[in-house]
Amino acid sequence: MEWILIGAVVAFIVWRMMPAKGVSTITITDLKGKLNDKGTQFVDVRTPGEFKGRHISQFQNIPLDQLPAKLSKLDPKKETYVICQSGMRSSRAAGILKKAGFTKVVNVRGGMSQWQ
């Protein structure tokens, strides 16, 4: 019985980490080459406190819980990169963006924990 419960928890965690359908992923290393692209928008979905503590200057802070209400601040036609601390919240944010009609959504795998 214990193994079934452990297996279910592991499966749930893996499922939550998988990107939404139609969402690309990129590593922090690859992101560095995209940061100067003017036709791209960058969204950090961490809390304001996390963002204030450390962030990438090209990213604007729209916390995950505020994202649905602030979609109008973003251009759904632009390529949109989403980051958080580890990749979990940004994966959820990417799903929200895809459902809202954003065509090019990229989740930054590993998030700010990988940024140096």
Side-chain angles (χ1 to χ4, degrees), residues 37-43 60 62 67-82 93-94 96-98 100-106:
D37 185 350
K38 301 297 181 198
T40 303
Q41 55 195 354
F42 302 94
V43 180
Q60 62 177 307
I62 303 176
L67 185 62
K70 295 189 175 183
L71 289 174
S72 63
K73 292 186 172 204
L74 301 170
D75 184 346
K77 294 180 180 98
K78 284 188 175 182
E79 189 169 25
T80 306
Y81 287 79
V82 188
I96 291 168
L97 293 171
K98 283 303 284 186
F102 285 69
T103 55
K104 300 174 190 169
V105 180
V106 182

Side-chain angles (χ1 to χ4, degrees), residues 1 10 16 27 33 37 44 88 91 103 116:
M1 185 65 169
V10 169
R16 292 290 296 191
T27 65
D37 185 350
D44 186 324
M88 298 269 304
S91 180
T103 55
Q116 296 177 8

Side-chain angles (χ1 to χ4, degrees), residues 1-65:
M1 185 65 169
E2 292 174 20
W3 290 107
I4 294 171
L5 182 59
I6 292 170
V9 169
V10 169
F12 176 75
I13 291 170
V14 168
W15 174 73
R16 292 290 296 191
M17 292 182 74
M18 291 177 60
K21 189 174 183 178
V23 173
S24 303
T25 59
I26 191 170
T27 65
I28 283 289
T29 304
D30 293 334
L31 172 67
K32 290 178 182 179
K34 301 283 186 182
L35 290 174
N36 293 321
D37 185 350
K38 301 297 181 198
T40 303
Q41 55 195 354
F42 302 94
V43 180
D44 186 324
V45 296
R46 296 176 301 151
T47 66
E50 289 173 299
F51 185 79
K52 183 178 179 184
R54 184 171 159 238
H55 66 273
I56 303 168
S57 62
Q58 290 87 340
F59 279 79
Q60 62 177 307
N61 185 222
I62 303 176
L64 178 61
D65 63 340

